[in-house]
Amino acid sequence: MDIEAGKQTMVRESHTPEETYAIALEMGRKALPGQIICLDGDLGTGKTVFTQGFARGLGIQEPVSSPTFTIIQEYEDGRLPLYHFDVYRIGDVEEMDEIGYEDYFYGEGVCLIEWAKLIREIVPHNAIWVFIQKDLEKGMDYRRIMIRQGE
């Protein structure tokens, strides 16, 4: 583990989308009720692949896609409900109040939030942050995945 800004950060490397999926699958299998996973990375880094693996780790069988235009997608068929947010199009954090985010954040399911840095001020301090970065010098499919409790 690396120490970054006083917090422990686990770093995983992925060389294929399948490896990214497997890392997320493992996290989904270990997920607990009430956890919030904040997913951050540039366009095309594999956030959707990560989310699909995470959902499968929860036992969700239905197809998972990014809810870019609906902001939230609910999946209830796993061992825990998954509330998948994509807040890329949120213009103001107050829009989260309109969709009743607190019911999701403080409920018994797991929240996975893409582009969470855009709503950082309402994300609980104990959220798990997952940062996915490309490094083209290491290959087109290489990803560095940093996982940290709290921000």
Side-chain angles (χ1 to χ4, degrees):
M1 292 221 182
D2 296 328
I3 302 297
E4 186 175 297
K7 301 187 189 272
Q8 289 192 346
T9 302
M10 180 173 46
V11 178
R12 304 281 303 267
E13 292 185 324
S14 170
H15 296 88
T16 66
E18 293 79 16
E19 287 180 10
T20 298
Y21 184 97
I23 290 166
L25 178 79
E26 177 185 334
M27 281 186 69
R29 287 181 175 152
K30 295 176 182 177
L32 300 172
Q35 281 187 323
I36 296 175
I37 312 297
C38 298
L39 196 50
D40 191 23
D42 292 334
L43 287 170
T45 55
K47 291 185 297 296
T48 300
V49 168
F50 186 94
T51 302
Q52 291 167 340
F54 189 89
R56 186 54 55 101
L58 287 172
I60 294 167
Q61 300 299 313
E62 64 184 286
V64 173
S65 60
S66 190
T68 301
F69 295 101
T70 58
I71 300 176
I72 184 168
Q73 181 71 32
E74 299 180 34
Y75 300 94
E76 302 281 343
D77 67 332
R79 67 177 178 83
L80 295 170
L82 174 63
Y83 307 118
H84 178 201
F85 290 82
D86 183 332
V87 298
Y88 184 76
R89 298 199 184 283
I90 292 284
D92 188 304
V93 76
E94 290 175 4
E95 291 178 49
M96 293 296 289
D97 286 327
E98 294 171 18
I99 62 171
Y101 80 91
E102 289 178 329
D103 292 337
Y104 298 105
F105 281 22
Y106 302 105
E108 291 300 311
V110 178
C111 292
L112 192 145
I113 309 166
E114 293 188 44
W115 302 100
K117 65 184 175 186
L118 299 174
I119 60 166
R120 182 173 283 139
E121 60 263 35
I122 63 170
V123 172
H125 294 291
N126 65 342
I128 297 168
W129 287 80
V130 178
F131 303 93
I132 304 176
Q133 297 175 323
K134 290 182 186 182
D135 185 343
L136 296 178
E137 291 182 11
K138 293 185 178 185
M140 289 295 294
D141 291 327
Y142 175 85
R143 301 293 185 267
R144 183 171 191 250
I145 302 170
M146 296 172 290
I147 304 164
R148 182 172 67 217
Q149 179 78 37
E151 199 196 12

Short mmCIF file of all heavy atoms in Angstrom, two decimals, residues 11-16 133-144:
data_model
loop_
_atom_site.label_atom_id
_atom_site.label_comp_id
_atom_site.label_asym_id
_atom_site.label_seq_id
_atom_site.Cartn_x
_atom_site.Cartn_y
_atom_site.Cartn_z
N VAL A 11 -3.03 0.30 -4.76
CA VAL A 11 -2.84 0.51 -6.19
C VAL A 11 -2.88 -0.84 -6.89
O VAL A 11 -2.17 -1.77 -6.50
CB VAL A 11 -1.51 1.23 -6.48
CG1 VAL A 11 -1.31 1.38 -7.99
CG2 VAL A 11 -1.47 2.59 -5.80
N ARG A 12 -3.73 -0.94 -7.90
CA ARG A 12 -3.83 -2.15 -8.71
C ARG A 12 -3.54 -1.75 -10.15
O ARG A 12 -3.88 -0.64 -10.58
CB ARG A 12 -5.24 -2.74 -8.63
CG ARG A 12 -5.74 -3.05 -7.22
CD ARG A 12 -5.20 -4.34 -6.63
NE ARG A 12 -5.45 -5.52 -7.40
CZ ARG A 12 -6.49 -6.33 -7.25
NH1 ARG A 12 -7.41 -6.07 -6.35
NH2 ARG A 12 -6.62 -7.41 -8.00
N GLU A 13 -2.91 -2.63 -10.88
CA GLU A 13 -2.64 -2.39 -12.30
C GLU A 13 -3.47 -3.34 -13.13
O GLU A 13 -3.63 -4.51 -12.78
CB GLU A 13 -1.16 -2.57 -12.60
CG GLU A 13 -0.31 -1.49 -11.96
CD GLU A 13 1.16 -1.61 -12.36
OE1 GLU A 13 1.65 -2.74 -12.52
OE2 GLU A 13 1.78 -0.56 -12.54
N SER A 14 -3.97 -2.83 -14.23
CA SER A 14 -4.76 -3.62 -15.16
C SER A 14 -4.17 -3.42 -16.56
O SER A 14 -3.86 -2.30 -16.95
CB SER A 14 -6.22 -3.15 -15.13
OG SER A 14 -6.95 -3.73 -16.18
N HIS A 15 -4.06 -4.52 -17.29
CA HIS A 15 -3.52 -4.46 -18.65
C HIS A 15 -4.58 -4.75 -19.71
O HIS A 15 -4.31 -4.64 -20.90
CB HIS A 15 -2.34 -5.42 -18.78
CG HIS A 15 -1.20 -5.03 -17.90
ND1 HIS A 15 -1.08 -5.46 -16.59
CD2 HIS A 15 -0.14 -4.21 -18.11
CE1 HIS A 15 0.01 -4.94 -16.05
NE2 HIS A 15 0.59 -4.18 -16.94
N THR A 16 -5.78 -5.13 -19.24
CA THR A 16 -6.88 -5.42 -20.17
C THR A 16 -8.20 -4.99 -19.52
O THR A 16 -8.29 -4.91 -18.29
CB THR A 16 -6.97 -6.94 -20.48
OG1 THR A 16 -7.33 -7.63 -19.27
CG2 THR A 16 -5.68 -7.48 -21.06
N GLN A 133 -6.61 5.66 -14.07
CA GLN A 133 -5.77 6.47 -14.96
C GLN A 133 -5.18 5.61 -16.06
O GLN A 133 -4.79 4.47 -15.82
CB GLN A 133 -4.62 7.09 -14.18
CG GLN A 133 -5.03 8.04 -13.09
CD GLN A 133 -3.84 8.52 -12.29
OE1 GLN A 133 -2.90 7.79 -12.04
NE2 GLN A 133 -3.88 9.78 -11.89
N LYS A 134 -5.10 6.18 -17.25
CA LYS A 134 -4.40 5.56 -18.37
C LYS A 134 -2.92 5.93 -18.30
O LYS A 134 -2.57 6.96 -17.73
CB LYS A 134 -4.91 6.12 -19.71
CG LYS A 134 -6.28 5.72 -20.11
CD LYS A 134 -6.57 6.33 -21.47
CE LYS A 134 -7.99 6.11 -21.91
NZ LYS A 134 -8.23 6.66 -23.25
N ASP A 135 -2.10 5.11 -18.92
CA ASP A 135 -0.70 5.44 -19.15
C ASP A 135 -0.35 4.81 -20.49
O ASP A 135 -0.02 3.62 -20.57
CB ASP A 135 0.20 4.90 -18.03
CG ASP A 135 1.65 5.32 -18.20
OD1 ASP A 135 2.04 5.74 -19.31
OD2 ASP A 135 2.40 5.21 -17.21
N LEU A 136 -0.48 5.59 -21.55
CA LEU A 136 -0.30 5.06 -22.90
C LEU A 136 1.10 4.52 -23.14
O LEU A 136 1.29 3.68 -24.02
CB LEU A 136 -0.66 6.13 -23.94
CG LEU A 136 -2.14 6.57 -23.91
CD1 LEU A 136 -2.38 7.66 -24.95
CD2 LEU A 136 -3.06 5.38 -24.14
N GLU A 137 2.07 4.97 -22.37
CA GLU A 137 3.42 4.42 -22.51
C GLU A 137 3.48 2.96 -22.09
O GLU A 137 4.37 2.22 -22.52
CB GLU A 137 4.42 5.24 -21.69
CG GLU A 137 4.64 6.63 -22.27
CD GLU A 137 5.67 7.43 -21.48
OE1 GLU A 137 6.37 6.86 -20.62
OE2 GLU A 137 5.76 8.64 -21.75
N LYS A 138 2.52 2.53 -21.28
CA LYS A 138 2.47 1.14 -20.84
C LYS A 138 1.48 0.31 -21.66
O LYS A 138 1.26 -0.85 -21.37
CB LYS A 138 2.12 1.07 -19.36
CG LYS A 138 3.21 1.64 -18.48
CD LYS A 138 2.89 1.45 -17.02
CE LYS A 138 4.01 1.99 -16.16
NZ LYS A 138 3.79 1.72 -14.74
N GLY A 139 0.86 0.93 -22.65
CA GLY A 139 -0.05 0.21 -23.53
C GLY A 139 -1.42 0.86 -23.57
O GLY A 139 -1.83 1.56 -22.64
N MET A 140 -2.15 0.62 -24.66
CA MET A 140 -3.47 1.22 -24.86
C MET A 140 -4.48 0.81 -23.78
O MET A 140 -5.35 1.58 -23.42
CB MET A 140 -4.03 0.83 -26.24
CG MET A 140 -3.32 1.49 -27.40
SD MET A 140 -3.53 3.28 -27.42
CE MET A 140 -5.27 3.40 -27.73
N ASP A 141 -4.37 -0.43 -23.28
CA ASP A 141 -5.34 -0.93 -22.32
C ASP A 141 -4.86 -0.86 -20.88
O ASP A 141 -5.57 -1.26 -19.96
CB ASP A 141 -5.72 -2.37 -22.65
CG ASP A 141 -6.53 -2.45 -23.94
OD1 ASP A 141 -7.31 -1.52 -24.20
OD2 ASP A 141 -6.40 -3.46 -24.65
N TYR A 142 -3.66 -0.33 -20.65
CA TYR A 142 -3.13 -0.25 -19.30
C TYR A 142 -3.94 0.75 -18.46
O TYR A 142 -4.26 1.84 -18.92
CB TYR A 142 -1.66 0.17 -19.30
CG TYR A 142 -1.12 0.39 -17.90
CD1 TYR A 142 -0.63 -0.68 -17.17
CD2 TYR A 142 -1.15 1.65 -17.31
CE1 TYR A 142 -0.16 -0.49 -15.87
CE2 TYR A 142 -0.70 1.85 -16.02
CZ TYR A 142 -0.21 0.78 -15.30
OH TYR A 142 0.24 0.97 -14.02
N ARG A 143 -4.26 0.36 -17.23
CA ARG A 143 -4.92 1.25 -16.29
C ARG A 143 -4.26 1.12 -14.92
O ARG A 143 -3.96 0.01 -14.47
CB ARG A 143 -6.41 0.92 -16.12
CG ARG A 143 -7.22 0.98 -17.42
CD ARG A 143 -7.32 2.39 -17.96
NE ARG A 143 -8.17 2.48 -19.12
CZ ARG A 143 -7.76 2.40 -20.38
NH1 ARG A 143 -6.49 2.19 -20.65
NH2 ARG A 143 -8.61 2.52 -21.38
N ARG A 144 -4.06 2.24 -14.27
CA ARG A 144 -3.61 2.28 -12.88
C ARG A 144 -4.85 2.61 -12.07
O ARG A 144 -5.48 3.65 -12.28
CB ARG A 144 -2.54 3.35 -12.70
CG ARG A 144 -1.98 3.40 -11.29
CD ARG A 144 -0.77 4.35 -11.26
NE ARG A 144 -0.07 4.23 -10.01
CZ ARG A 144 -0.05 5.18 -9.07
NH1 ARG A 144 -0.68 6.32 -9.27
NH2 ARG A 144 0.61 4.99 -7.95
#
